[in-house]
Amino acid sequence: MISQKRKIADSLVYGLIYLCVALSVALLAGIILYVFVKGVSHVNWEFMTTVTSVLRGTVGIAGNIVNTLYIIVITMLIATPIGVGTAIYLNEYAKPGKIVSLIEFATETLAGIPSIIFGLFGMMFFGQTLGLGYSILTGSLTLILMVLPLITRNTQEALKTVPDSYRNGAIGLGAGKWHMIRTVLLPSAMPGIITGVILAIGRIVGESAALLFTAGSAKTLPKTLSMLFPKIFQSGGSLTIQLYLSATSEGDFDSAFAIALVLLVIVLLINMGTKWLAKRFDVSRIQ
Amino acid sequence: MNKKTIVEKTVQLGFFLCAVVAIFAVCSITVYMFLKGTPALSKVGVFHLLFGTEWMPTAADPAYGIFYIILSSVVGTAMSVAIGVPIALMTAVFLSEIAEKHVASVVGGAVELLAAIPSVIYGLMGMMILNPWMYKLEQAIYSGDATHQFTGGANLLSAILVLAIMILPTVISVSTSSLKAVTDSMRSASLALGATKIQTIFNVVLPAAKSGILTGVVLGIGRALGEAMAINMVAGGTVNIPLPFNSVRFLTTQLVSEMGYAQGLHRQVLFTVGLVLYIFIMIVNLILLRTRKKGVEHD
């Protein structure tokens, strides 16, 4: 028989557990609701498509949106091949030994370094030593180091799920290893790789500390088409950086909440995207 | 060598070079942190810098003591873990042991989203909701106290609460998966011996998942120690003894707030602040590797 005392103690613990769960869920609901209520009236077409200008009297985040896109594209263009390449080397070529454990140790370590340290290093190395200054390129190069583990680990997981019979089948039919990787392995692992890429994009969209001292805070748009490429050598503040500045030095909380809402929508979409991929293709996500 | 072998060898070399990038990155980060972080140590003096309690970098006779900054980071991290981990563990227990499948997927999804919210949004929420509450509390506690410097709610306590919330998702997800990894036979054995579900969870399942939970806690410590933007927005900005209602600076927020304008020796001292943070993080990482290894052996 379970004693009366035990029953009471158990119900108390149950109550505590439900309280903690309610708190976690309420936090999320509260944040989403609060940001939505405070931000929705300030998000409009003009806000999304103009640049803040005292002369024209406009407040807008078009420049920050473009900067964020620049940073995403440049970072992912470089980080994806390196991350996928690392995973392929670790899973398909390397034999267990010192070099493999060293690479895995380095990847783990990179994953554990906080973004402010990446920002500091990026500022010193890419910004000063390489002379790139405060620029979109400096920011992107810094973020590559940050998202590399994310892509490597997700690709590794995806490669592990490809059955060995696929590899042996292709090799047995006379395909070279590179041919096998290109035509059999990568297509089979694609959903997992894409998941890693989307998660990395999510990290970039939400990143701020690593960008503050690398990409800077400028909010202008490239003026002409020919300025599209040179723009990467100029300073460019992302959405998160603009939110930070709006909420602190500029004291413009309307804009801060509007940007927060835009960021939340992007984060929600990314979350839904990876969930859909996970369900559809049965891939695991490593965040 | 025929053409095919040359292609194969080149491709293999290419993949190898990709893999070396991570090693190269970690090495250069470490070298740079030490290279830039050590000069100030000899210029100011190791003891004066690390254990000095006066921070006046722009005064005519500047003082560069970062002891309170280090202390704030340690206290802030410890307190936020102390608050966040129990809540996270209870949630993990719910997700793995109690919740029905569809409830678990809703709560689990919420936790995942919490992890994805950018830190500046946490900071903004802290500024708008937490700080005013803290200010009211502060006014109630210190009313009539002439010596207390009012912070408007931007203080250590606000930062600790924001950090506690921000580490929740990390600790929850790692603990949940380690709880789920405990075999059902252990639960059945405990229940068959007459233990209640709660007794089983707390006396059998949680101890069995110990190493995985520990990994989650260490990850949470790393996350709290390294968080910069969110707490910079809620913690005020004065180098101060880490007391609950004091405006404080952490290692990370010190960098965020002053790196933009610091010059000369002041700047070098900030690099030392970065180095101290980096060493803390490396220690956390090494502990993490060990607990992970233990977890693997245990399984």
Side-chain angles (χ1 to χ4, degrees):
Chain A
M1 270 305 282
I2 298 162
S3 68
Q4 199 63 35
K5 235 167 111 186
R6 185 72 242 162
K7 272 186 189 158
I8 296 173
D10 276 16
S11 349
L12 276 177
V13 176
Y14 270 116
L16 204 63
I17 291 175
Y18 284 117
L19 194 71
C20 291
V21 174
L23 188 70
S24 305
V25 177
L27 271 171
L28 177 76
I31 291 173
I32 293 179
L33 217 67
Y34 197 84
V35 168
F36 187 80
V37 169
K38 285 265 188 177
V40 73
S41 56
H42 305 286
V43 178
N44 51 41
W45 186 244
E46 197 199 296
F47 184 72
M48 304 285 284
T49 54
T50 54
V51 173
T52 300
S53 155
V54 184
L55 272 180
R56 268 170 275 149
T58 52
V59 176
I61 54 167
N64 306 106
I65 294 177
V66 171
N67 291 335
T68 308
L69 287 176
Y70 262 112
I71 293 170
I72 291 173
V73 170
I74 299 171
T75 307
M76 295 315 294
L77 272 181
I78 305 173
T80 311
I82 299 178
V84 173
T86 306
I88 292 178
Y89 180 77
L90 287 173
N91 266 45
E92 308 299 324
Y93 286 96
K95 292 170 192 72
K98 269 215 175 99
I99 186 84
V100 171
S101 44
L102 198 63
I103 293 167
E104 271 170 354
F105 171 75
T107 308
E108 294 275 311
T109 308
L110 272 187
I113 292 177
S115 46
I116 182 79
I117 298 275
F118 281 116
L120 205 58
F121 171 74
M123 180 190 81
M124 295 189 293
F125 182 69
F126 299 117
Q128 288 166 5
T129 308
L130 298 189
L132 294 169
Y134 283 101
S135 68
I136 288 175
L137 192 58
T138 308
S140 304
L141 291 171
T142 308
L143 292 194
I144 289 168
L145 306 180
M146 197 184 80
V147 299
L148 205 51
L150 210 55
I151 300 171
T152 303
R153 287 203 225 155
N154 277 287
T155 308
Q156 264 187 298
E157 280 308 300
L159 290 175
K160 275 182 199 154
T161 60
V162 179
D164 269 342
S165 57
Y166 284 30
R167 296 182 178 83
N168 297 336
I171 300 285
L173 285 170
K177 194 159 189 175
W178 169 227
H179 194 255
M180 181 273 285
I181 289 172
R182 257 184 313 148
T183 55
V184 178
L185 212 52
L186 284 180
S188 320
M190 202 41 90
I193 297 173
I194 294 174
T195 303
V197 168
I198 298 177
L199 286 172
I201 293 175
R203 274 288 290 278
I204 298 171
V205 169
E207 186 48 53
S208 45
L211 288 173
L212 192 60
F213 300 120
T214 55
S217 59
K219 38 191 156 182
T220 50
L221 279 169
K223 289 205 174 57
T224 57
L225 273 180
S226 60
M227 283 298 289
L228 226 46
F229 181 71
K231 173 78 186 161
I232 69 169
F233 297 105
Q234 292 165 4
S235 154
S238 68
L239 285 166
T240 46
I241 294 297
Q242 187 54 47
L243 193 168
Y244 172 72
L245 294 175
S246 296
T248 52
S249 55
E250 292 169 17
D252 174 8
F253 288 101
D254 291 345
S255 298
F257 273 106
I259 299 170
L261 182 56
V262 173
L263 285 171
L264 269 188
V265 170
I266 298 173
V267 164
L268 275 170
L269 288 176
I270 284 174
N271 190 272
M272 273 154 50
T274 52
K275 268 222 165 110
W276 180 81
L277 273 171
K279 221 178 196 168
R280 177 88 202 276
F281 297 99
D282 197 28
V283 293
S284 53
R285 292 171 293 169
I286 301 187
Q287 275 175 309
Chain B
M1 269 205 286
N2 60 24
K3 201 178 144 211
K4 200 173 159 189
T5 4
I6 295 173
V7 171
E8 290 293 335
K9 287 280 169 205
T10 322
V11 167
Q12 181 169 358
L13 182 71
F15 287 133
F16 175 72
L17 289 178
C18 289
V20 182
V21 170
I23 299 179
F24 189 69
V26 171
C27 289
S28 8
I29 291 175
T30 310
V31 167
Y32 255 81
M33 293 313 289
F34 276 92
L35 220 59
K36 295 272 182 177
T38 42
L41 279 172
S42 56
K43 280 182 198 161
V44 182
V46 176
F47 188 82
H48 277 287
L49 184 61
L50 296 180
F51 296 102
T53 53
E54 260 187 306
W55 177 260
M56 291 186 297
T58 47
D61 181 23
Y64 301 102
I66 62 169
F67 185 63
Y68 285 155
I69 303 173
I70 299 176
L71 206 59
S72 297
S73 267
V74 172
V75 171
T77 303
M79 291 307 296
S80 63
V81 169
I83 297 171
V85 165
I87 299 174
L89 264 186
M90 292 293 150
T91 312
V93 164
F94 175 79
L95 285 172
S96 144
E97 309 294 315
I98 296 171
E100 307 253 340
K101 213 175 169 190
H102 60 276
V103 180
S105 83
V106 172
V107 176
V111 171
E112 229 171 72
L113 262 179
L114 273 180
I117 291 176
S119 52
V120 279
I121 295 187
Y122 282 106
L124 181 64
M125 299 299 288
M127 281 176 89
M128 299 304 281
I129 299 177
L130 208 51
N131 284 355
W133 287 353
M134 285 301 141
Y135 189 40
K136 278 193 191 131
L137 198 62
E138 190 180 20
Q139 282 172 319
I141 293 173
Y142 290 98
S143 62
D145 187 341
T147 54
H148 180 73
Q149 214 168 22
F150 281 90
T151 60
N155 52 34
L156 178 68
L157 204 54
S158 298
I160 288 174
L161 291 178
V162 169
L163 284 178
I165 293 169
M166 290 183 77
I167 63 168
L168 283 181
T170 315
V171 186
I172 292 174
S173 67
V174 178
S175 311
T176 307
S177 47
S178 68
L179 286 173
K180 276 184 179 158
V182 175
T183 53
D184 268 337
S185 57
M186 290 184 80
R187 294 187 185 86
S188 321
S190 167
L191 291 171
L193 284 170
T196 63
K197 192 165 186 180
I198 291 293
Q199 284 175 314
T200 304
I201 292 170
F202 285 89
N203 297 333
V204 177
V205 183
L206 276 175
K210 200 175 54 191
S211 60
I213 292 170
L214 201 63
T215 306
V217 174
V218 179
L219 272 172
I221 293 174
R223 179 111 203 252
L225 205 54
E227 179 49 47
M229 299 303 265
I231 52 174
N232 190 46
M233 293 162 87
V234 298
T238 330
V239 178
N240 230 334
I241 310 173
L243 292 174
F245 288 98
N246 273 359
S247 156
V248 291
R249 277 276 171 82
F250 299 90
L251 289 166
T252 50
T253 63
Q254 185 68 8
L255 295 172
V256 172
S257 336
E258 295 186 8
M259 199 44 115
Y261 66 84
Q263 297 293 331
L265 187 55
H266 182 192
R267 194 174 172 85
Q268 290 183 328
V269 172
L270 289 184
F271 286 133
T272 310
V273 170
L275 178 60
V276 172
L277 175 66
Y278 188 65
I279 291 172
F280 272 128
I281 290 291
M282 282 300 131
I283 294 171
V284 170
N285 272 349
L286 289 178
I287 296 173
L288 195 62
L289 277 178
R290 293 194 75 147
T291 53
R292 275 222 179 108
K293 232 184 225 158
K294 258 194 197 149
V296 171
E297 278 165 16
H298 195 75
D299 296 337

